[in-house]
Amino acid sequence: MLSPFQDAATGVARRVILFSFLSLCLALSHSLVDTREVRAQTDDEQTVNAIFNERLTSGEMYYLLEDLCKNIGPRLSGSEGAERAVAWAKEVMEGYGFDRVYLQEVMVPHWERGEPEQVRIVDVEEGMIELRALAIGGSVPTAPAGITAPVVVVHSLEEVEEIGREAVEGKIVFYNRAFDQTVIATGPGYGGAVDQRFAGPSQAAKFGAVGVVIRSAGSDFGDAPHTGGLRYLEDVERIPAAALGYQSADRLIEALEEQPGAQLYMRLSSKWHPDALSHNVIGEIRGSERPDEIILVGGHLDSWDVAEGAHDDGAGSVHAIGVLRTFQKLGIRPRHTIRAVLFMNEENGLRGGLKYAEVAKETGERHLIALESDAGGFSPRGFGATADDEVLERFRSWLPLFPQNTISYINKGGGGADIGPLHRETGTPTIGFIPDSQRAFDYHHAPTDVFEAVNRRELELGGASIATLIYLIDKYGLKDEMAQ
Amino acid sequence: MLSPFQDAATGVARRVILFSFLSLCLALSHSLVDTREVRAQTDDEQTVNAIFNERLTSGEMYYLLEDLCKNIGPRLSGSEGAERAVAWAKEVMEGYGFDRVYLQEVMVPHWERGEPEQVRIVDVEEGMIELRALAIGGSVPTAPAGITAPVVVVHSLEEVEEIGREAVEGKIVFYNRAFDQTVIATGPGYGGAVDQRFAGPSQAAKFGAVGVVIRSAGSDFGDAPHTGGLRYLEDVERIPAAALGYQSADRLIEALEEQPGAQLYMRLSSKWHPDALSHNVIGEIRGSERPDEIILVGGHLDSWDVAEGAHDDGAGSVHAIGVLRTFQKLGIRPRHTIRAVLFMNEENGLRGGLKYAEVAKETGERHLIALESDAGGFSPRGFGATADDEVLERFRSWLPLFPQNTISYINKGGGGADIGPLHRETGTPTIGFIPDSQRAFDYHHAPTDVFEAVNRRELELGGASIATLIYLIDKYGLKDEMAQ
């Protein structure tokens, strides 16, 4: 790949040009390289370059993420891991000496997976065939000895209603609609599959099912099951539900084709505990001119229990901390108060986001804007903002400041689950960070969401992009300040 | 990460809206989603969508790459692996039933690494400290028992000249200049470091050095060494040279700080063989209107010997085959002949590219344009083209046809090492595919460049983008045809 002399600007290399490398392949060098070097830089360009350079050379947030993933690990709300993560985040931000670091109390649900799930095809000839499965978060357990029942395959919630009680009663309903691979950005692929996980169990129970399995709402063709939350309807029996790996789902389909009456054995030993006390973790750099006006940058600290939550949302957590840390290291003194919020319980309750909004409304705290990073630590592509057109146009006018297409668009509409309540309660505009989405749902809620799945430069480029947008918002505001 | 209801378009999901998910986070959905769905599609949009859908749903080229990586593996020119790769590529394209599949003979250099490299710090107190190292491709061996010598650290070729013979003679020169992490696109980071590998050995030998080690020209902070080619100058003694992993380079620096006279032991058992017969592998779909005008799409089939060459350039190889395969599956009958060329020997000689150009010139074959994919199987970002402004403007006018920013820019200037000779010999315009570059030099020429480092959707999106550009060029030409 790539001749060593494709970079025409390298004087040293020029001296040793080999005939075979005279063709200077420009692959991997983006469009702004040349122009950036020859013209004088504005103050903003200098600051933005300093932000990117700091992040790319130190890798400090990458190593912080490694610490969170490897030394804290899984951190589902209510768990010991979540409490260790809260203490860790507070200690990290205090260690950096931010102006203010504190905890905000919040009661959170506490669900435990229990022993490893067992989901097996009861094959008449070959005996039990083990499938890779995870209980869906929030699922009730099966009977302690497990349950065994025939399987009925469906592809939508509507289909359960169509085939009705006669076809469903006493059975395990298998929701087999796969993630739509034809999407380009993968969010809608997930959005188009996840109703099976979230609402499928109660829908099946309404028609007498005794359990539910789903084809995982993930984009990979591997066999890692993807967990996530469910919602049981009131007044409907709560039945156990598990997600199968993609290949395990295929195996089950094959088995049912060979033996239409094949049964599934399923054993889940999950458990609900009483709500537990936990915390949002908050750090601030105080504004020099408008200390009472807050620019919030957040991610969520909790993760599912089956992985390290590296992309979801360790990445967002270190993105948030990283904005403050980068400003501190570069001596950028913001005009507004910059607040990093690591929310608790995004994954199965959103209690942290709700509590934060409640407190903000009660105390009358003013938020200029809130940004969330909860789409992974991949290469940056854009931002989406829920704000009026004048604000969007201002953001778009800054696009040339993001070096070499790091951020190439500002969408209308965007935010994040945790900052949604703040938006609704106080009208605060919101921004969502949009990284490249191709790998996101390969790892999402699966045991594969580990530190090794994160690339240092991608993570830090995303963090630098977020820090750059926050820097510009802080400096210039959302609108001309006379008008605000 | 991501509420299940962020995708506002999913009717089913809407029915089960939970209060905590009312905020529809639009992260991961790019800007064109809505508009694409509501307006009528043109023929081109339909064809482009069909190309993307086919690639993303089948994953056929991803599995083909797996076959190449796992069942053929490393394939350095002249090796048995390279010959098996030639037979494999021919068989694959014949299996697809392309209109014409054939081999083009080319003599290639044949260098062998031999036994695993040994590079060790001779520590007075602690004994030998093993470093991770790879011989630089083309290096001569050390004496069979290895060599031991003191180390002198430099950061550039110029510095060797500055410190001169007195400081260098009888020593091992350690080129320690690191990959510049401040670059955004990583190509220039590599370009700025690689002269040490390529020209460093002869430069050191001129001043009496007995060996060379370099800090690998890679972007990762891990310990995988990155090999690659070197060039010995005529009339200068050929001395052995090896690349150290990033962490091993750090270890050596530390050892030299503690014991400035510390020596390095180095044993390489590499070997040069006579040139070997090998082949470019070529497949075609014959044009329906202009069969004698060729649109070339290429990658290189050879790889370094230490890895599977998944990104470099297995990805480009399946990108090239994939254009033909996708046209075939979708029934797209091209006007021009579309030719996939898998070049041999890009890595250490470029003999395949040179031979191809020589034959094309001799036979007077007319190439409309040539595109190369040799920057990895990552998410697509853009193309670079060496063509006149009118052609560039035509390409740019097609950008809206690439769904959701898959391709967001067309750079002036671009091509690839293998198609460079064709450009020089015949004036054929060239195009280089530009994927996201953040991870490229983590794997480049290192043992980590394996199939597992490739993401299915990223690879196929790149392939679909290339197939789309070729489709548009074939349909509309480079300029108005009256003028061509």
Side-chain angles (χ1 to χ4, degrees), chain A residues 50-198:
Chain A
I51 289 171
F52 277 83
N53 288 352
E54 202 296 307
R55 297 300 286 263
L56 287 169
T57 52
S58 80
E60 187 174 359
M61 291 303 112
Y62 176 71
Y63 293 113
L64 191 61
L65 179 62
E66 182 177 30
D67 190 28
L68 175 63
C69 290
K70 298 303 178 190
N71 296 324
I72 307 296
R75 44 196 185 278
L76 187 60
S77 293
S79 70
E80 192 207 317
E83 289 321 287
R84 291 200 296 128
V86 166
W88 173 90
K90 183 161 177 280
E91 198 180 303
V92 164
M93 291 201 280
E94 285 174 346
Y96 287 143
F98 295 154
D99 294 339
R100 188 174 169 221
V101 177
Y102 59 104
L103 302 180
Q104 184 175 58
E105 290 191 352
V106 55
M107 295 302 292
V108 295
H110 183 194
W111 176 84
E112 259 190 330
R113 182 169 303 278
E115 288 166 33
E117 295 82 349
Q118 293 173 1
V119 178
R120 298 167 179 165
I121 303 166
V122 185
D123 190 289
V124 183
E125 285 163 25
E126 300 187 38
M128 293 292 202
I129 300 172
E130 198 81 36
L131 299 180
R132 282 200 65 190
L134 286 173
I136 294 174
S139 172
V140 296
T142 59
I147 57 172
T148 302
V151 179
V152 56
V153 183
V154 298
H155 296 85
S156 68
L157 275 65
E158 289 83 352
E159 192 180 343
V160 175
E161 195 165 350
E162 282 161 26
I163 62 175
R165 180 167 289 271
E166 196 179 342
V168 170
E169 189 153 37
K171 295 197 179 135
I172 291 172
V173 170
F174 172 21
Y175 288 99
N176 187 39
R177 190 168 83 257
F179 189 104
D180 179 3
Q181 294 289 342
T182 68
V183 297
I184 305 294
T186 56
Y190 177 66
V194 73
D195 62 300
Q196 301 173 103
R197 183 193 83 209
F198 193 74

Side-chain angles (χ1 to χ4, degrees), chain A residues 1-2 12 28 181 183-185 195 219 312 347 374 379 411 436 438-439 441-442 455-458, chain B residues 1-2 12 28-29 31 183-185 195 219 312 347 374 379 436 438-439 441-442 455-458:
Chain A
M1 179 201 290
L2 300 168
V12 173
L28 298 193
Q181 294 289 342
V183 297
I184 305 294
D195 62 300
S219 55
D312 186 12
E347 293 294 4
D374 187 21
S379 272
N411 280 352
D436 191 292
Q438 296 311 313
R439 288 174 282 149
F441 292 98
D442 282 8
N455 174 269
R456 178 179 53 79
R457 288 185 52 94
E458 292 186 351
Chain B
M1 176 202 290
L2 301 169
V12 174
L28 300 193
S29 70
S31 54
V183 297
I184 305 293
D195 62 301
S219 55
D312 187 12
E347 293 294 4
D374 186 20
S379 273
D436 191 291
Q438 296 310 313
R439 287 173 283 150
F441 292 97
D442 282 9
N455 174 268
R456 178 180 51 80
R457 288 184 53 93
E458 292 185 350

Side-chain angles (χ1 to χ4, degrees), chain B residues 25 30 35 61 66 74 79 115 139 188 259 274 286 297 317 321 357 361 382 386 438-439 472:
Chain B
C25 153
H30 295 191
T35 46
M61 290 303 112
E66 181 178 29
S79 69
E115 288 166 34
S139 173
Q259 306 175 36
R286 195 171 162 79
V297 54
S317 298
I321 296 172
K361 196 178 179 190
T386 300
Q438 296 310 313
R439 287 173 283 150
L472 292 167

Side-chain angles (χ1 to χ4, degrees), chain B residues 297-321:
Chain B
V297 54
H300 66 85
L301 189 56
D302 64 310
S303 80
W304 280 101
D305 56 333
V306 294
E308 295 167 6
H311 282 291
D312 187 12
D313 186 26
S317 298
V318 302
H319 278 161
I321 296 172

